[in-house]
Amino acid sequence: MTTSTQPILQTRDLSISFGSVDALVSVDFNLRAGEIHALLGENGAGKSTLIKLVTGVYAKDSGQILLDGKEINPRNPREAQLLGISPVYQEINLIPTLSVAENIYLGSQPMRFGLVNTAAMNKQAEALLNRYNIDIDVNRTLSSYSVAIQQLVAIARGVDMSAKVLILDEPTASLDRHEVETLFNVMRQLKADGVGIILITHFLDQVYEISDRITVLRNGFKVGEYNTDELPRVKLISEMLGHELTQTLGKQATSETAKPKNQEAYIRVDGLGRKGYLEPIDLTVNEGEIVGLAGLLGSGRTETALLIFGIEGHDQGTIYVDGQAVHLRSPSQAIQEGFALCPEDRKTEGIVGELTVRENVILALQAKRGWFDFIPIKRQQELADEMIEALHIATPDAEKPAGQLSGGNQQKLILARWLASEPKFLILDEPTRGIDVGAHAEIINIIKRLSNDGMSLLVISSELAEVVDYSDRVIVLRDHKKVAELKGDEVTENRIMQVIAEEPNV
Amino acid sequence: MKSRIFPLIATIVVFILLYMIGWQRFPAFGTTRVVLNILTDKSFLGVAAVGMTFVILSGGIDLSVGSIIAFTSIFCALLIKDVGVHPLGAFAIALALGAAFGGAMGAIIHYLKIPPFIVTLAGMFLARGCAFLLSEASVPIEHPFYSDISGMYYVFEDKGRLTFVATLFVIVLLVGLIIAHFTRFGRNVYALGGDKNSALLLGVPIARTTIGVYMLSSVLATLAGIIYSLYTRSGYPLATVGLELDAITAVVIGGTLLTGGVGYMAGTLVGVLILGVIQTYINFDGGLNSWWTKIVIGALLFVFIALQKVLSSGRPVFKLPSLKR
């Protein structure tokens, strides 16, 4: 391998914070010319933030970005592109209403007599896409093609524009094996041409297949920079999740098993799945039990929750509640069955920022009762006050707009909303993400308390220490499949990491 | 077939149909007179509609158009009559003013992130108010230049007149068509209306494009005001009240999606012509109340928006959901 050691893109002490959250703290990142550099980390580690700083979407708070040793300050994506840095984002950021060719050459159309030369543009686009073995009508609107084709078009655009640095953010998420191979070939070609490539992906196999070096971020900090062939898989995962393998933090089993438990499975999920979304999964949650769902980002944790809650439809499998098969086709049916789900992204999926704390609290309960059975204002106020006290929500009163609360308190408010609807089965997706330490501990206490009160919980979390702490059993997912179910003494961080890191098909 | 082009084809079919109905009842529809009259009569609406097409393609709206026309007509009339400026000089000053006004609205929309509806609504009141400030009554324009212009026309064999203002409309439309479809600015407008967020990430200069779109719309509204003053030989502060709504109607009937990103400039021409044909038919009939024009246009507009909805629900016009696993 003749990877040059000359850095093409560097950041020094790069920092940015959003409100009180430090998204990136003093990160030094080094991309060399002619290398494929994997940028890894769990959700919220700061990967996307780093990319958005380098491409001028965000403005840094402090630090430097250097291209070819010279400091650059791109103020918008266009300036970054002109400097030779072009990103391909995970969500397809193209214009669905424009043609394929126009999407590829938007801003750099071939011109003739001062006008866009559409014929030449279409010809170029066809030739470009042929390199990826795509033979399509480039004059048709982008939205008329499949997501995989759209993703390849986005990549083709990025590759075509990238003079120096190409950034690929989860490029393979919607591609099949064959398309991935085609992409890798193009990446190798670019690498040979001296382009520096940053690859963000959650497919560790692909990291080991194609990348030369790896930088790991965690909670906004750089954890380390490694040569890919010198970093064992288990070590990589422990770096990403932030725990040393040697640290055997077993479950304090004795004190916790004292819970009185009815060992009848309250919730039984039998072969629930959907083709191309989640492999059929079996799981049970007993009354008063906490089951943890562990796995890396993209392993199918959230998908499992969405399928059970009826947000995503399933095409196979059955859910049993207390031994009775139920057919959940929508979240409102799930709510009627006594289910509740606290989503991962509270900003976009949970809190209604303009409504008051009280209104947010009663939302789910009101929905469950139907909108015509109005809850009297007095009862609403009582409920809200109860919840504010029980969950220690820091707000002067129940009439404050929820959007003005801190992240941790918003998270508690979502919990409060579902608790007000008195669910029997509660699914929590990353309940402690992005909240401060004090609130973190409180939420964990609340989770334990709920289980002691007899509620069944399914908790998704990337924080292994946390999962190990409260879970009675842990189900491990990998590549959209359940790969292990750990119970009793097996519920340790080490064991979970080992299961996650196992080579597939071995 | 490209589904994008379907609304345009539908518009053309409707136009031909309406024209045939007119022709069948009134043989005069068979002469060039009717079409050329429509072009003359709708020239200022048409020029304004070209600007409106850009605005709607970019995902915005411009409500200030009618007021700008009225302001321009009275502004030019006073400059020519009271200040003694040559009409060409007055036009140049008015166009510069229009550009500044539109640019300012665009800048407010972009930098202060205020919805175009609100900003141009404010612009509408401002321009209309300024028009009344200049004069509360109609101001006639008597200048040899104006007589010369109205004397410039080409007469066809069947006495159809291609007037100067109609020609100007056609030229503006052709230039607009080239800008929309064959310049980077035009393509950026489509990209902006298709998906603003993606356009930003793709490196489309959002600020420049947004400001450019509203500047273009105001300049064309000013030009429409100049045409209005040439056509009526006067300036009138109460002129063209609500013309922006006719312009929006023409653009939407012409097959441009109100959500932005999809449409053809040629459709706007057909949209203007359809409005003209309906009006001509009702004028010819004599027995029909002229309010029937509004009723037919209303019904037509509704049908076209419903059609667009049906078409766009069949395919993802909006941003695809991300494939987060």
Side-chain angles (χ1 to χ4, degrees):
Chain A
M1 200 179 301
T2 55
T3 309
S4 92
T5 51
Q6 180 202 349
I8 183 160
L9 180 73
Q10 285 177 289
T11 70
R12 283 197 202 135
D13 280 332
L14 195 63
S15 302
I16 185 172
S17 55
F18 301 108
S20 59
V21 182
D22 292 323
L24 215 56
V25 184
S26 201
V27 168
D28 292 340
F29 176 75
N30 299 292
L31 176 71
R32 298 170 186 162
E35 75 163 349
I36 298 173
H37 194 129
L39 182 60
L40 303 177
E42 278 291 89
N43 229 348
K47 295 168 296 181
S48 298
T49 308
L50 177 60
I51 298 310
K52 288 190 167 159
L53 282 166
V54 170
T55 53
V57 178
Y58 296 152
K60 68 188 181 206
D61 289 344
S62 62
Q64 282 183 308
I65 304 168
L66 300 119
L67 184 69
D68 283 332
K70 271 178 276 180
E71 182 166 7
I72 56 165
N73 285 302
R75 283 172 304 168
N76 53 47
R78 184 180 169 76
E79 289 188 4
Q81 251 171 41
L82 294 175
L83 290 166
I85 304 172
S86 71
V88 177
Y89 293 99
Q90 174 184 7
E91 322 87 62
I92 300 162
N93 280 298
L94 295 177
I95 315 288
T97 51
L98 290 183
S99 78
V100 171
E102 284 190 300
N103 267 296
I104 295 175
Y105 293 109
L106 188 65
S108 61
Q109 296 97 333
M111 308 294 271
R112 189 177 52 183
F113 312 126
L115 298 178
V116 174
N117 187 344
T118 311
M121 182 174 75
N122 288 346
K123 223 174 191 169
Q124 278 182 28
E126 263 166 36
L128 181 70
L129 290 177
N130 272 337
R131 281 176 60 187
Y132 299 84
N133 300 320
I134 307 171
D135 189 16
I136 56 171
D137 179 1
V138 295
N139 200 27
R140 276 177 56 182
T141 43
L142 183 79
S143 61
S144 60
Y145 291 104
S146 71
V147 174
I149 294 277
Q150 296 189 20
Q151 183 71 61
L152 284 170
V153 169
I155 292 167
R157 176 188 162 95
V159 170
D160 189 60
M161 311 236 342
S162 62
K164 289 175 179 161
V165 177
L166 174 66
I167 300 166
L168 299 169
D169 187 352
E170 297 285 359
T172 56
S174 55
L175 305 186
D176 67 23
R177 185 61 227 168
H178 179 71
E179 290 162 333
V180 169
E181 208 39 64
T182 312
L183 173 64
F184 281 2
N185 285 334
V186 174
M187 284 166 71
R188 290 189 188 103
Q189 178 66 44
L190 286 167
K191 181 176 137 176
D193 295 344
V195 175
I197 301 176
I198 301 173
L199 173 69
I200 298 177
T201 180
H202 63 260
F203 294 106
L204 295 188
D205 294 343
Q206 296 180 355
V207 170
Y208 281 97
E209 183 180 343
I210 189 107
S211 75
D212 301 311
R213 293 195 309 138
I214 297 174
T215 291
V216 177
L217 298 179
R218 192 175 66 232
N219 294 331
F221 290 88
K222 174 171 154 183
V223 178
E225 194 173 326
Y226 318 88
N227 288 325
T228 306
D229 44 16
E230 292 164 9
L231 182 68
R233 208 177 254 259
V234 174
K235 172 97 166 103
L236 168 62
I237 289 170
S238 78
E239 295 289 23
M240 285 166 66
L241 298 181
H243 299 282
E244 286 299 324
L245 264 183
T246 47
Q247 182 189 355
T248 25
L249 220 171
K251 185 169 167 60
Q252 299 96 339
T254 44
S255 62
E256 303 287 328
T257 42
K259 284 181 205 165
K261 263 171 205 157
N262 182 351
Q263 286 307 315
E264 217 169 278
Y266 179 63
I267 299 289
R268 185 153 66 88
V269 171
D270 218 4
L272 193 71
R274 193 174 90 204
K275 226 174 158 243
Y277 189 72
L278 187 74
E279 304 269 330
I281 191 168
D282 296 331
L283 65 87
T284 57
V285 187
N286 298 326
E287 209 164 293
E289 190 183 34
I290 304 177
V291 175
L293 263 186
L296 291 180
L297 171 66
S299 57
R301 299 172 310 186
T302 301
E303 285 79 351
T304 306
L306 297 182
L307 277 184
I308 294 176
F309 200 59
I311 291 174
E312 293 285 343
H314 55 270
D315 58 10
Q316 49 191 309
T318 318
I319 300 172
Y320 298 91
V321 178
D322 229 354
Q324 297 276 313
V326 291
H327 298 281
L328 304 179
R329 291 272 162 241
S330 69
S332 67
Q333 286 176 349
I335 291 169
Q336 297 299 335
E337 289 295 335
F339 289 20
L341 169 73
C342 291
E344 176 176 2
D345 188 342
R346 58 177 172 270
K347 279 258 161 47
T348 58
E349 295 173 33
I351 283 293
V352 186
E354 293 79 13
L355 295 185
T356 65
V357 171
R358 171 178 56 80
E359 287 164 324
N360 268 289
V361 166
I362 60 123
L363 214 51
L365 179 60
Q366 185 74 73
K368 190 179 179 181
R369 289 169 57 149
W371 291 101
F372 297 104
D373 186 5
F374 189 71
I375 305 167
I377 293 286
K378 190 143 182 294
R379 176 79 195 112
Q380 292 186 15
Q381 278 160 350
E382 283 169 16
L383 253 176
D385 290 340
E386 248 170 62
M387 287 301 165
I388 289 171
E389 202 189 315
L391 304 186
H392 306 291
I393 297 172
T395 175
D397 59 73
E399 300 305 316
K400 188 169 172 157
Q404 294 176 13
L405 301 184
S406 74
N409 283 304
Q410 288 188 5
Q411 191 66 42
K412 287 192 217 164
L413 185 53
I414 296 189
L415 253 174
R417 174 194 299 169
W418 292 111
L419 296 181
S421 74
E422 294 172 346
K424 300 202 182 74
F425 176 46
L426 179 63
I427 307 170
L428 301 170
D429 193 352
E430 297 284 4
T432 56
R433 157 129 332 125
I435 60 179
D436 59 69
V437 183
H440 193 130
E442 273 186 55
I443 294 225
I444 289 176
N445 280 333
I446 294 167
I447 291 174
K448 289 179 178 171
R449 213 167 67 211
L450 292 172
S451 132
N452 279 330
D453 292 347
M455 198 184 286
S456 307
L457 289 102
L458 183 65
V459 186
I460 299 170
S461 179
S462 304
E463 303 271 342
L464 288 188
E466 179 188 311
V467 173
V468 167
D469 180 26
Y470 51 61
S471 300
D472 297 301
R473 281 183 292 133
V474 174
I475 289 166
V476 183
L477 297 174
R478 191 179 58 219
D479 295 337
H480 291 210
K481 242 192 316 214
K482 174 176 167 180
V483 289
E485 181 165 337
L486 309 173
K487 49 191 143 195
D489 294 344
E490 287 179 317
V491 180
T492 63
E493 287 183 63
N494 280 357
R495 185 71 192 112
I496 295 174
M497 272 191 275
Q498 278 166 10
V499 174
I500 293 174
E502 271 166 22
E503 299 264 350
N505 314 320
V506 172
Chain B
M1 191 184 80
K2 290 193 287 182
S3 54
R4 274 183 299 179
I5 206 168
F6 187 78
L8 177 63
I9 293 171
T11 308
I12 293 172
V13 169
V14 167
F15 172 68
I16 293 172
L17 222 65
L18 285 174
Y19 205 89
M20 288 302 172
I21 294 171
W23 195 352
Q24 189 249 331
R25 255 201 82 188
F26 307 106
F29 270 74
T31 67
T32 56
R33 268 185 300 173
V34 167
V35 170
L36 292 174
N37 265 343
I38 292 174
L39 280 183
T40 303
D41 201 38
K42 296 286 170 203
S43 53
F44 51 92
L45 171 65
V47 169
V50 170
M52 188 67 80
T53 309
F54 280 100
V55 175
I56 292 179
L57 279 175
S58 80
I61 200 87
D62 186 353
L63 301 178
S64 67
V65 170
S67 301
I68 291 181
I69 293 176
F71 174 81
T72 304
S73 75
I74 197 83
F75 182 72
C76 289
L78 291 178
L79 272 187
I80 295 162
K81 185 164 163 267
D82 293 355
V83 187
V85 181
H86 186 272
L88 285 175
F91 297 165
I93 296 169
L95 286 170
L97 209 60
F101 190 72
M105 287 198 298
I108 291 170
I109 289 165
H110 177 76
Y111 289 109
L112 303 185
K113 296 189 171 52
I114 300 175
F117 186 94
I118 302 295
V119 174
T120 59
L121 186 69
M124 172 181 111
F125 285 121
L126 195 67
R128 183 69 68 181
C130 289
F132 277 107
L133 206 62
L134 292 179
S135 165
E136 283 178 22
S138 172
V139 178
I141 304 172
E142 281 149 20
H143 192 282
F145 181 78
Y146 270 65
S147 326
D148 291 349
I149 290 285
S150 32
M152 283 167 66
Y153 51 79
Y154 177 82
V155 184
F156 284 84
E157 276 175 21
D158 54 4
K159 293 187 183 153
R161 269 192 200 181
L162 180 63
T163 56
F164 177 79
V165 290
T167 316
L168 203 57
F169 167 36
V170 173
I171 291 170
V172 166
L173 193 110
L174 287 175
V175 172
L177 195 139
I178 290 169
I179 292 176
H181 296 289
F182 299 104
T183 64
R184 282 197 181 152
F185 171 76
R187 302 324 288 165
N188 286 344
V189 170
Y190 276 83
L192 188 61
D195 186 331
K196 187 175 173 183
N197 208 11
S198 293
L200 172 73
L201 293 172
L202 288 173
V204 170
I206 305 285
R208 208 197 306 158
T209 309
T210 305
I211 294 170
V213 159
Y214 288 94
M215 196 184 266
L216 184 62
S217 177
S218 288
V219 164
L220 288 178
T222 308
L223 186 60
I226 292 169
I227 292 174
Y228 176 88
S229 87
L230 288 170
Y231 183 54
T232 63
R233 293 216 210 173
S234 68
Y236 184 39
L238 254 180
T240 59
V241 172
L243 177 124
E244 52 278 346
L245 302 181
D246 290 337
I248 293 168
T249 306
V251 172
V252 172
I253 289 181
T256 299
L257 281 190
L258 261 179
T259 46
V262 179
Y264 290 88
M265 190 55 78
T268 299
L269 171 65
V270 185
V272 170
L273 289 178
I274 286 179
L275 296 188
V277 167
I278 294 170
Q279 201 175 24
T280 308
Y281 181 92
I282 285 162
N283 285 349
F284 274 23
D285 185 279
L288 284 173
N289 190 312
S290 68
W291 289 108
W292 276 103
T293 318
K294 302 271 179 203
I295 294 169
V296 175
I297 290 171
L300 208 58
L301 188 62
F302 180 75
V303 168
F304 268 84
I305 289 183
L307 176 79
Q308 288 183 356
K309 193 77 201 165
V310 170
L311 283 176
S312 59
S313 61
R315 70 213 158 91
V317 164
F318 302 101
K319 199 166 144 61
L320 290 148
S322 68
L323 276 178
K324 213 165 71 179
R325 292 200 185 183

